[in-house]
Amino acid sequence: MAPRLQPVRGTRDLLGEELRRHLHVTDTARHLALRCAFEEIATPVFEFTEVFARTLGETSDVVTKEMYTFLDRGGESITLRPEGTAAVVRAAISGGLLQALPRKFFYQGPMFRYERPQKGRLRQFHQVGVEVLGAAEPAADVEVIALGRHLLEVLGIAARTELHLNTLGDPESRARYRGALVAYLERHRDELSEESRERLVRNPLRILDSKDPRDRAVVADAPVLWDFLSPHSRAFFEEVKARLADLGVPFVEDPHLVRGLDYYTHTAFEFLTTELGAQGAVLAGGRYDGLVAQMGGPDVPGVGWAAGVERLSMLVEGAPPAPRPVELVPVGEAAEREAWRIAEELRRAGFVVDLAYRGSPKARLKRADRLGCRFALFLGEVEMAEEAVRLRDLDSGEERLVPRAGLADTLAALGADRA
């Protein structure tokens, strides 16, 4: 049976303009995070299954339906990471990184979930994200939200998104609310969707963000978390909102924005768009003060967000242009050897240079056209005798003889692309 030489469903190869968009998102996020004194961290793409099963909830859809889990040859249960936060927290605990707090981390890389592929959602997808560990102050929430907003602004898509903001309160407030919500939903059990009837037992808060019309009709009159907040929780949320206003970050309060797991506290937020279908979140996060302790570490608060690179890339209008190389066109064996020396010098000076391995001058110029080259450098017996090259502007067609010794300076003055 012949091998199936196709990408696995829910994965795709990245190259050309699509890859440039992808790298533009990732590099921009990294650059802005470094400005805010975040340090980059890279964790393995797989972890012991317990890392994610414990943090995402044993009964969550991600754990029960979507994780790529397998036994390795040593009999250990291993999972390809479905998200980045748990891996970063695991690294902070196991690496002894929580001795001097707070710590601020930026990460990027591939994640894996077995879900139905759809617009902007793949089975191997990529995320950028930030995590702040060891800061209980509202200022940490505001910093990460403002950083997320800044990323969307630099990418040119902030105006097409809307920040939704809510508070989940402290654990005591949340427990009181959960009891009242379950009591209300039990009275309307028969009106809920089948999925929400299942969630009522294992994760009732997630019913609040259901998109099913039946659930939305029930939720419309459900108790509101705000009515169950402690004075501390109210003050925390008010401080977050006031500081966001100070920074000019617009937001909409959304009482139905929730997180289903118990370690989430206080701030929850999502930047939403209407341009990517029903799943409109492009950047989302919140505070998770109980997560580090739940994973076996000290009682350290945390807050952060993650953003889907593919989804952001789809919103970016136009990829950064590919660099336009300089094409070297030697004529004759001696010129070929000299051309490789010139190429090496120019590359070390930072210029983007292409030199074909074979071919006539005509074939090499065709290659230059295909690569979108800006300049061609011709080198033959005449040019070598004069210790020069013939430079042709491939946009205008103009040619001139350029001294070999000043070639790099000439290309720089003409604006040749560097990388």
Side-chain angles (χ1 to χ4, degrees):
M1 179 177 172
R4 293 183 294 174
L5 296 180
Q6 296 291 330
V8 176
R9 184 169 186 251
T11 67
R12 63 185 297 114
D13 303 308
L14 292 173
L15 72 163
E17 180 177 340
E18 187 175 6
L19 179 58
R20 293 199 301 276
R21 287 174 184 265
H22 182 106
L23 294 176
H24 176 52
V25 170
T26 302
D27 292 345
T28 302
R30 176 187 291 110
H31 178 69
L32 296 179
L34 292 178
R35 278 193 197 174
C36 297
F38 284 76
E39 55 185 313
E40 186 163 3
I41 185 171
T43 65
V45 297
F46 56 83
E47 301 270 357
F48 291 118
T49 299
E50 180 185 8
V51 169
F52 302 114
R54 179 187 292 186
T55 57
L56 295 173
E58 297 281 358
T59 61
S60 70
D61 287 346
V62 174
V63 172
T64 60
K65 301 177 183 179
E66 298 176 1
M67 291 202 317
Y68 281 90
T69 298
F70 58 93
L71 293 179
D72 68 10
R73 295 187 179 185
E76 299 281 4
S77 182
I78 303 296
T79 294
L80 300 180
R81 64 185 180 198
E83 56 91 30
T85 301
V88 170
V89 172
R90 191 275 309 150
I93 296 171
S94 64
L97 305 180
L98 301 176
Q99 305 305 312
L101 297 173
R103 296 297 293 267
K104 297 160 60 173
F105 297 108
F106 164 82
Y107 66 87
Q108 61 84 26
M111 312 292 166
F112 307 85
R113 293 191 186 188
Y114 188 85
E115 56 184 352
R116 183 174 63 85
Q118 52 186 298
K119 188 176 184 180
R121 288 187 180 273
L122 300 171
R123 290 178 176 176
Q124 176 179 302
F125 58 100
H126 299 78
Q127 287 186 339
V128 291
V130 296
E131 314 291 351
V132 177
L133 302 177
E137 298 84 356
D141 305 50
V142 174
E143 181 178 42
V144 299
I145 294 172
L147 173 55
R149 169 74 182 187
H150 193 188
L151 172 60
L152 300 180
E153 288 175 348
V154 174
L155 294 176
I157 60 180
R160 294 145 62 198
T161 66
E162 185 174 68
L163 171 59
H164 284 223
L165 186 70
N166 193 23
T167 178
L168 305 176
D170 54 29
E172 295 74 23
S173 302
R174 188 184 177 94
R176 288 195 301 272
Y177 175 64
R178 180 188 176 105
L181 178 64
V182 169
Y184 170 81
L185 294 175
E186 284 286 3
R187 295 195 299 271
H188 298 274
R189 171 185 284 272
D190 294 341
E191 303 167 43
L192 296 172
S193 67
E194 181 178 352
E195 183 178 26
S196 286
R197 287 197 293 271
E198 294 177 1
R199 283 178 169 171
L200 185 54
V201 176
R202 54 186 173 87
N203 205 343
L205 268 66
R206 291 302 308 275
I207 298 174
L208 296 176
D209 62 5
S210 170
K211 302 300 187 290
D212 191 293
R214 293 167 293 178
D215 299 332
R216 295 179 72 87
V218 173
V219 165
D221 295 321
V224 179
L225 179 55
W226 180 260
D227 295 334
F228 295 82
L229 293 179
S230 66
H232 167 70
S233 296
R234 288 176 181 264
F236 191 101
F237 192 44
E238 292 297 337
E239 180 75 5
V240 169
K241 293 190 293 183
R243 286 176 175 253
L244 287 175
D246 289 344
L247 298 180
V249 178
F251 60 87
V252 174
E253 291 188 54
D254 184 350
H256 294 154
L257 176 57
V258 297
R259 298 286 183 265
L261 300 174
D262 288 340
Y263 56 75
Y264 284 109
T265 58
H266 295 297
T267 313
F269 59 91
E270 292 182 347
F271 286 89
L272 302 174
T273 183
T274 60
E275 298 183 19
L276 295 176
Q279 301 294 327
V282 295
L283 187 154
R287 178 165 282 277
Y288 47 84
D289 287 350
L291 177 58
V292 179
Q294 181 168 317
M295 292 184 67
D299 187 13
V300 170
V303 62
W305 54 253
V309 175
E310 284 82 2
R311 296 175 70 75
L312 291 175
S313 298
M314 292 172 68
L315 294 173
V316 171
E317 294 182 352
R324 301 183 64 188
V326 173
E327 184 71 35
L328 275 161
V329 184
V331 181
E333 184 176 345
E336 176 95 18
R337 295 174 70 93
E338 180 63 16
W340 280 107
R341 285 190 284 271
I342 295 173
E344 184 70 7
E345 292 173 10
L346 293 178
R347 287 167 176 169
R348 288 176 178 269
F351 295 102
V352 182
V353 178
D354 182 67
L355 175 53
Y357 304 119
R358 68 184 74 86
S360 65
K362 182 178 180 181
R364 292 172 188 260
L365 285 174
K366 283 186 176 180
R367 174 179 174 82
D369 183 62
R370 186 170 67 253
L371 294 177
C373 293
R374 173 72 196 282
F375 300 104
L377 302 178
F378 295 88
L379 184 66
E381 291 182 1
V382 173
E383 289 81 13
M384 290 181 65
E386 298 188 26
E387 296 186 351
V389 297
R390 187 167 300 281
L391 185 151
R392 179 186 295 177
D393 186 321
L394 295 177
D395 288 346
S396 67
E398 295 178 0
E399 284 190 8
R400 58 171 158 155
L401 205 63
V402 175
R404 170 82 168 75
L407 182 55
D409 291 337
T410 299
L411 288 172
L414 292 172
D417 285 351
R418 297 181 187 239

